[in-house]
Amino acid sequence: MIKTDFPIGPEKDGLKLPDGTDILRMPHPPRLDDYASAVRQSLAEPVASERLEQIIRSKTAGGKSVNELSACIVISDSTRPVPYKGEQGILWPLADILLKEGVEPENILVLVATGTHRAQTEEELRDMLDTRIFENGIRVANHDCTNEQALVNLGTTSKGGNIIINRDYMESDIRILTGLVESHFMAGASGGRKSICPGLIGEESTFVFHGAPMLAHENSRALLLDGNPCHEESKEMALKAGADFICNVTLDGDFNLTGVFSGDLIKAHEAAVEHLKSYTAIPVDKKYDIVVSHGGFVGINHYQVAKAGVEASRIVRENGYVLIGGDNTDTDPVGSIYYRTALQLLKIQGTENFEKILTSPDWAFILEQWQVQMWTKLFKLIPQDHFYYFAPQFSDGEYMVCAGEDMRKLSGSDSASIPEQISLALENLIEKVKLETGREEVSVCWMADGPYGVPLYEN
């Protein structure tokens, strides 16, 4: 029996895996020696860009004095563990440059790129951000994708998507993007252009960007940028909106900085993605009867756990089984009413009919259908009743909404922690697979990094 730590939730002990389990783990990159120095160095030596100080000074060429300039620093919401405070923090160094160059604090806006996610609460913002932001009177606001008065239309993309962007951002003289570059199951990698699209777009802009044809494309997948239509649409919108400077980071499994990439919107992001690829891809030489995974830090609700489901789909054999545990601490452990609606439709109609519905000319696009569509990547390989999920925050009603099965039915326990639930369920599932296949050997893998590691299977 293999005993190992479980990376999420309050209980870190109790995960037991059978001998012979393949543990898939990303190679861990070296963390930076001096976080604060690394941030300063990145800002001082930006990729394919002038320093931020020079960019600020150039904005006065049109006749404005520096104290008349407005600035917008775009940040991620709480679903991304971007270091915005502490010794690794990237937010205050950016704000500090603006202030030292003479930009007035009341003219600086920290804008949360919520996309179509819910707004962050005051408590969440104060927990996320450097206290000096509030102490200096810098305004913090959430993007609202539904407020038409707070949005501007910049035209359409080559694919026909409406480029509708946050007005405060577009009207700012100095536009700075921040974020985390990690593998992304649709767009290849997060960060960079995604701070604008989907971070600052209106909900109408999602109709093409996250439309059914876009996400059904074989290149809409993790770690691929070239030829990825989701990435291309996001990039086109971001370039149309424009950004003066970005500061993106990469992190290890303990959320410590492994890289800081500042500068040009495209070039600095590409440099971060190349660094990410060096330790995120996990070569795999077979597919498994049972894949065990977890929702990761991002998995604050079932909506976000879809990322783990998609990565598991890469290496589960046809008609195999997947077990996932999540710590769904969000105010709604499942997701918004839109996600719940589409998810229930998938559960009731099944994968094939659900895809027909989404691609029907009579179907009216609804927000967050895209995330449910991503679940179909798993359910094209395994039946829904071969997927077992557990989150301690779920009630019986939540399990009835979500595609798949309540893991408690398999584990036989209502009180076990997340790792204990998985251990008990796995033990029973192995016996079930032995009976089904007539084989004594059942292949099992544990995706230790959950949605962050990208298993690359080559036949």
Side-chain angles (χ1 to χ4, degrees):
M1 186 66 68
I2 302 170
K3 296 181 180 179
T4 187
D5 291 342
F6 195 75
I8 61 169
E11 301 292 337
K12 299 292 191 275
D13 298 324
L15 182 61
K16 299 176 182 178
L17 305 167
D19 291 332
T21 297
D22 285 349
I23 298 178
L24 305 186
R25 196 183 300 275
M26 298 186 299
H28 282 277
R31 65 184 60 173
L32 300 176
D33 294 329
D34 185 332
Y35 301 128
S37 293
V39 173
R40 287 194 300 270
Q41 182 177 352
S42 177
L43 296 176
E45 302 174 4
V47 177
S49 169
E50 293 181 320
R51 291 178 57 168
L52 182 55
E53 291 90 340
Q54 295 169 301
I55 291 170
I56 296 167
R57 293 165 197 166
S58 71
K59 297 293 182 176
T60 62
K64 275 189 177 182
S65 62
V66 69
N67 61 2
E68 294 176 309
L69 294 177
S70 60
C72 181
I73 305 175
V74 179
I75 65 170
S76 300
D77 68 12
S78 60
T79 63
R80 303 294 187 270
V82 186
Y84 287 129
K85 63 180 183 180
E87 63 175 337
Q88 303 187 57
I90 60 172
L91 180 57
W92 179 251
L94 291 165
D96 193 41
I97 291 173
L98 291 168
L99 294 171
K100 286 178 177 176
E101 286 297 312
V103 180
E104 298 291 341
E106 61 267 25
N107 292 339
I108 302 173
L109 170 65
V110 173
L111 181 60
V112 187
T114 55
T116 60
H117 300 172
R118 67 168 177 83
Q120 302 296 279
T121 65
E122 179 74 14
E123 182 181 3
E124 287 172 327
L125 291 171
R126 289 192 175 273
D127 183 58
M128 287 167 53
L129 307 183
D130 193 299
T131 58
R132 288 170 287 188
I133 296 296
F134 302 100
E135 291 165 358
N136 280 271
I138 294 173
R139 187 163 64 97
V140 182
N142 290 287
H143 167 66
D144 183 351
C145 71
T146 64
N147 183 355
E148 294 183 3
Q149 299 304 311
L151 302 167
V152 293
N153 194 321
L154 305 181
T156 59
T157 66
S158 57
K159 293 181 173 63
N162 289 308
I163 309 173
I164 303 172
I165 308 294
N166 182 281
R167 182 181 297 277
D168 284 335
Y169 177 79
M170 292 305 305
E171 293 180 352
S172 295
D173 297 306
I174 305 159
R175 304 172 199 164
I176 303 168
L177 307 178
T178 69
L180 169 66
V181 179
E182 61 184 353
S183 63
H184 191 276
F185 68 150
M186 297 175 189
S190 62
R193 74 283 184 242
K194 284 188 90 261
S195 291
I196 295 175
C197 175
L200 299 180
I201 61 177
E203 65 178 14
E204 191 178 331
S205 294
T206 63
F207 294 178
V208 171
F209 173 59
H210 278 344
M214 185 85 73
L215 299 191
H217 196 285
E218 63 178 0
N219 287 345
S220 294
R221 55 189 172 90
L223 296 186
L224 179 66
L225 296 185
D226 292 343
N228 183 326
C230 189
H231 161 69
E232 291 168 351
E233 182 79 350
S234 176
K235 177 180 173 181
E236 188 173 349
M237 287 197 190
L239 287 172
K240 182 69 174 180
D244 294 301
F245 196 82
I246 75 168
C247 181
N248 279 189
V249 302
T250 54
L251 304 175
D252 66 13
D254 297 319
F255 309 121
N256 292 307
L257 285 177
T258 62
V260 187
F261 303 85
S262 302
D264 178 72
L265 168 63
I266 303 301
K267 296 298 183 183
H269 179 251
E270 289 176 346
V273 173
E274 285 306 307
H275 178 65
L276 175 75
K277 286 180 179 179
S278 69
Y279 64 86
T280 303
I282 307 170
V284 179
D285 61 4
K286 65 179 179 181
K287 295 198 173 185
Y288 294 88
D289 296 314
I290 303 172
V291 177
V292 184
S293 188
H294 61 85
F297 174 89
V298 72
I300 62 172
N301 51 30
H302 189 274
Y303 173 97
Q304 295 291 350
V305 173
K307 296 175 171 66
V310 170
E311 298 313 324
S313 73
R314 290 173 175 261
I315 51 171
V316 66
R317 68 166 174 81
E318 190 172 354
N319 292 318
Y321 290 85
V322 172
L323 305 178
I324 296 180
D327 188 29
N328 300 154
T329 57
D330 201 14
T331 51
D332 188 323
V334 176
S336 76
I337 186 64
Y338 303 107
Y339 178 70
R340 283 174 172 264
T341 299
L343 195 60
Q344 184 77 111
L345 194 60
L346 170 62
K347 189 178 183 77
I348 294 171
Q349 291 289 334
T351 301
E352 185 177 350
N353 287 335
F354 178 73
E355 288 204 313
K356 287 179 180 178
I357 290 168
L358 291 191
T359 55
S360 167
D362 298 323
W363 171 250
F365 184 95
I366 63 171
L367 289 177
E368 302 188 353
Q369 67 176 47
W370 54 79
Q371 203 82 344
V372 181
Q373 185 182 0
M374 296 307 284
W375 277 110
T376 66
K377 292 182 181 288
L378 176 62
F379 297 133
K380 286 178 182 177
L381 291 167
I382 68 172
Q384 289 189 29
D385 61 1
H386 282 207
F387 171 60
Y388 291 89
Y389 184 69
F390 175 76
Q393 297 84 1
F394 266 34
S395 66
D396 291 343
E398 263 92 44
Y399 288 112
M400 292 178 66
V401 168
C402 297
E405 298 293 322
D406 178 352
M407 195 185 296
R408 296 175 302 175
K409 295 179 180 178
L410 187 59
S411 71
S413 172
D414 289 328
S415 59
S417 67
I418 308 173
E420 290 169 342
Q421 284 284 349
I422 291 174
S423 301
L424 292 168
L426 180 58
E427 185 178 354
N428 292 333
L429 182 57
I430 289 171
E431 294 305 313
K432 179 180 179 181
V433 173
K434 286 180 179 180
L435 289 173
E436 288 176 350
T437 63
R439 291 188 278 111
E440 276 301 308
E441 295 295 324
V442 177
S443 57
V444 179
C445 81
W446 160 234
M447 296 181 65
D449 298 296
Y452 305 115
V454 181
L456 299 182
Y457 169 76
E458 294 186 16
N459 191 344

